């Protein structure tokens, strides 16, 4: 998995190196910080994207990510009953007025978090998963570090100010967390809900993300607002086989947040298209000299599809750069060559080619048996 992430990062940087001066200007944004990413983790646009700012309730994308990861690992079930503690019930801001001792399924809790931005439910889920919110916050920060977030410090599960401490993150980090969250298709069962209810219909939920109705293809993910943070959003949308994520932080008004997120998404859909590199010229294996296996299979992981500037999508050529043979030993995952996609003489992207298996070098006994085989055949 780590190797695949590294390959993806190499692909993205190679593409953007060829596009840096070709794309039209983004236009002025109202927010302090913004980023536009593809769901594969490819960065398409950034504006002041590393400044640490308060995300408000967009914090909850990490809370929901950890919950769904726990479900996938089999540690909890969406049918599990989550009990509200006195502490969880004491949260202010947007909430479902959870009562101490009240039980709701994890599924309903997730719905309340994603749709209604329920601060009380976010804390209840944190306690259910880790025992205490403090322990859950440690998991949040550890997971953020694993995802490459360099400007993120969580202090709670919901994004409210907490005992004088403030959650800080950046537009880029929110995009990285959003990319990871979208790897769990179940999240769309919650983030695409416009209106629903919990408590057997007694409590109505209305999605805080009004872009679900105003932007074509929007699928989530989360809005946020407190006075100090301004208006924030992680907005994901699907069109033309692409899923894009726009993160906006510290917009002055709700309307400007929507305008900025829409502008970012429009920019991405207007200027990029999905491109699948042509790897038909890549051999399935390479010969290995003095190896226990005569050949080693090849792979080009991370080249399933990338986004490329529309104007450069036509007339591309592919060049395979591989040696005629490899010397044993060969390590699994070892880079053995590359495939380059070119527009004229410009390299738009480079796909690393690696060994799909390990091949050990022959020992003395192997060499002797090989020699005997050759002699006997003659």
């Amino acid at each position: 998995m780590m190797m695949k992430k590294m390959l993806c990062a190499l692909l993205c940087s190679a593409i953007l190196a060829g596009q840096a001066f070709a794309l039209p200007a983004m236009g002025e944004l109202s927010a302090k910080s913004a980023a536009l990413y593809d769901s594969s983790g490819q960065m398409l646009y950034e504006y002041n994207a590393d400044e640490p700012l308060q995300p408000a309730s967009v914090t909850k994308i990490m809370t929901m990510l950890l919950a769904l990861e726990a479900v996938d690992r089999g540690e909890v079930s969406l049918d599990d009953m989550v009990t509200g503690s006195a502490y969880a019930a004491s949260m202010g801001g947007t909430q479902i007025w959870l009562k101490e001792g009240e039980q709701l399924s994890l599924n309903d809790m997730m719905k309340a978090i994603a749709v209604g931005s329920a601060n009380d439910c976010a804390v209840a889920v944190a306690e259910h998963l880790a025992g205490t919110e403090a322990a859950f916050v440690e998991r949040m920060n550890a997971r953020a570090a694993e995802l490459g977030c360099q400007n993120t410090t969580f202090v709670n599960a919901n994004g409210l100010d907490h005992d004088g401490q403030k959650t800080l993150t950046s537009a880029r980090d929110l995009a990285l967390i959003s990319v990871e969250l979208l790897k769990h298709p179940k999240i769309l069962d919650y983030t695409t809900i416009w209106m629903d209810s919990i408590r057997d219909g007694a409590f109505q939920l209305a999605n805080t993300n009004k872009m679900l109705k105003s932007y074509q293809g929007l699928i989530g993910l989360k809005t946020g607002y407190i006075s100090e943070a301004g208006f924030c959003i992680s907005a994901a949308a699907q069109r033309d086989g692409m899923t894009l994520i726009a993160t906006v932080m510290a917009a002055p008004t709700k309307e400007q947040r929507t305008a900025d997120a829409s502008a970012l998404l429009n920019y991405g859909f207007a200027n990029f298209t999905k491109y699948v590199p042509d790897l038909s010229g890549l051999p399935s294996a390479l010969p290995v000299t003095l190896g226990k296996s005569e050949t080693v299979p090849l792979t080009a992981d991370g080249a399933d599809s990338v986004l490329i500037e529309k104007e450069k999508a036509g007339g591309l050529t592919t060049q395979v750069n591989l040696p005629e043979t490899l010397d044993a030993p060969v390590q699994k995952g070892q880079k053995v060559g590359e495939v380059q996609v070119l527009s004229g003489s410009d390299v738009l992207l480079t796909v690393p080619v690696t060994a799909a298996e390990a091949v050990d070098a022959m020992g003395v006994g192997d060499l002797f048996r090989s020699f005997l085989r050759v002699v006997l055949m003659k």
Side-chain angles (χ1 to χ4, degrees):
M1 181 64 70
M2 183 61 69
M3 175 62 69
K4 192 164 186 177
K5 288 182 179 178
M6 291 173 65
L7 292 173
C8 183
L10 287 171
L11 287 173
C12 297
S13 61
I15 292 169
L16 292 170
Q19 294 174 343
F21 301 103
L23 290 171
M26 171 65 215
E28 189 173 351
L29 299 175
S30 301
K32 287 185 179 180
S33 175
L36 177 66
Y37 274 63
D38 169 61
S39 60
S40 70
Q42 180 181 339
M43 187 274 288
L44 305 180
Y45 177 84
E46 289 185 334
Y47 166 68
N48 196 29
D50 286 325
E51 182 178 355
L53 296 165
Q54 290 180 257
S57 283
V58 187
T59 294
K60 297 182 178 99
I61 61 174
M62 177 59 89
T63 301
M64 293 188 290
L65 171 62
L66 293 184
L68 291 181
E69 288 180 338
V71 170
D72 287 349
R73 291 192 298 266
E75 297 172 359
V76 294
S77 164
L78 289 169
D79 294 326
D80 286 355
M81 300 307 292
V82 179
T83 303
S85 67
Y87 176 66
S90 72
M91 295 296 113
T94 52
Q95 56 186 303
I96 65 163
W97 309 105
L98 190 66
K99 297 179 178 62
E100 182 181 0
E102 181 181 5
Q103 289 190 319
L104 292 174
S105 68
L106 178 57
N107 183 68
D108 279 354
M109 288 278 183
M110 290 288 289
K111 190 188 302 183
I113 294 168
V115 180
S117 196
N119 294 318
D120 43 6
C121 291
V123 174
V125 168
E127 293 174 333
H128 182 75
L129 293 175
T132 66
E133 187 188 33
F136 186 77
V137 169
E138 290 182 7
R139 295 185 187 181
M140 295 172 75
N141 286 317
R143 191 70 179 101
E146 290 173 358
L147 294 176
C149 300
Q150 298 181 358
N151 297 286
T152 296
T153 305
F154 292 109
V155 300
N156 54 33
N158 52 34
L160 293 171
D161 290 349
H162 180 72
D163 292 337
Q165 297 179 307
K166 302 172 183 177
T167 287
L168 292 174
T169 186
S170 67
R172 176 182 291 153
D173 289 357
L174 286 181
L176 295 176
I177 298 167
S178 300
V179 165
E180 197 69 18
L181 182 57
L182 283 172
K183 293 179 182 178
H184 301 268
K186 182 64 181 178
I187 192 61
L188 301 187
D189 290 350
Y190 304 114
T191 59
T192 58
I193 293 172
W194 180 243
M195 295 191 73
D196 208 327
S197 64
I198 55 174
R199 294 177 176 137
D200 296 323
F203 192 92
Q204 300 298 310
L205 297 171
N207 206 308
T208 60
N209 190 356
K210 306 311 178 187
M211 285 185 68
L212 282 171
K213 289 292 187 181
S214 66
Y215 193 87
Q216 178 190 349
L218 202 86
I219 56 174
L221 288 168
K222 190 72 192 72
T223 62
Y225 171 77
I226 55 176
S227 57
E228 274 196 74
F231 291 87
C232 308
I233 193 171
S234 172
Q238 293 177 335
R239 288 186 196 172
D240 304 324
M242 299 185 292
T243 301
L244 303 185
I245 302 160
T247 54
V248 172
M249 301 192 71
T253 68
K254 186 183 299 184
E255 292 74 21
Q256 287 170 307
R257 173 181 68 187
T258 298
D260 283 356
S262 298
L264 286 161
L265 293 170
N266 288 341
Y267 176 82
F269 289 122
N271 290 290
F272 293 89
T273 186
K274 180 177 283 190
Y275 174 75
V276 180
D278 179 12
L279 301 180
S280 59
L282 180 68
S284 60
L286 272 182
V288 178
T289 301
L290 298 180
K292 289 188 176 182
S293 175
E294 293 182 355
T295 62
V296 61
L298 304 179
T299 184
D301 285 343
D304 298 335
S305 69
V306 292
L307 297 192
I308 197 164
E309 186 182 346
K310 284 184 177 180
E311 291 183 359
K312 293 184 177 179
L316 301 181
T317 58
T318 303
Q319 179 176 301
V320 178
N321 300 315
L322 289 172
E324 292 184 2
T325 185
L326 296 171
D327 294 330
V330 179
Q331 304 298 320
K332 182 178 180 180
Q334 175 182 327
K335 182 181 176 182
V336 298
E338 61 188 22
V339 177
Q340 291 183 326
V341 178
L342 302 102
S343 175
S345 60
D346 295 333
V347 178
L348 294 189
L349 77 105
T350 300
V351 181
V353 178
T354 59
E357 297 176 0
V359 177
D360 293 332
M362 285 184 174
V364 174
D366 299 311
L367 290 169
F368 181 71
R369 284 188 290 272
S370 178
F371 172 75
L372 284 179
R373 280 196 299 269
V374 172
V375 171
L376 292 174
M377 287 177 65
K378 289 183 176 180

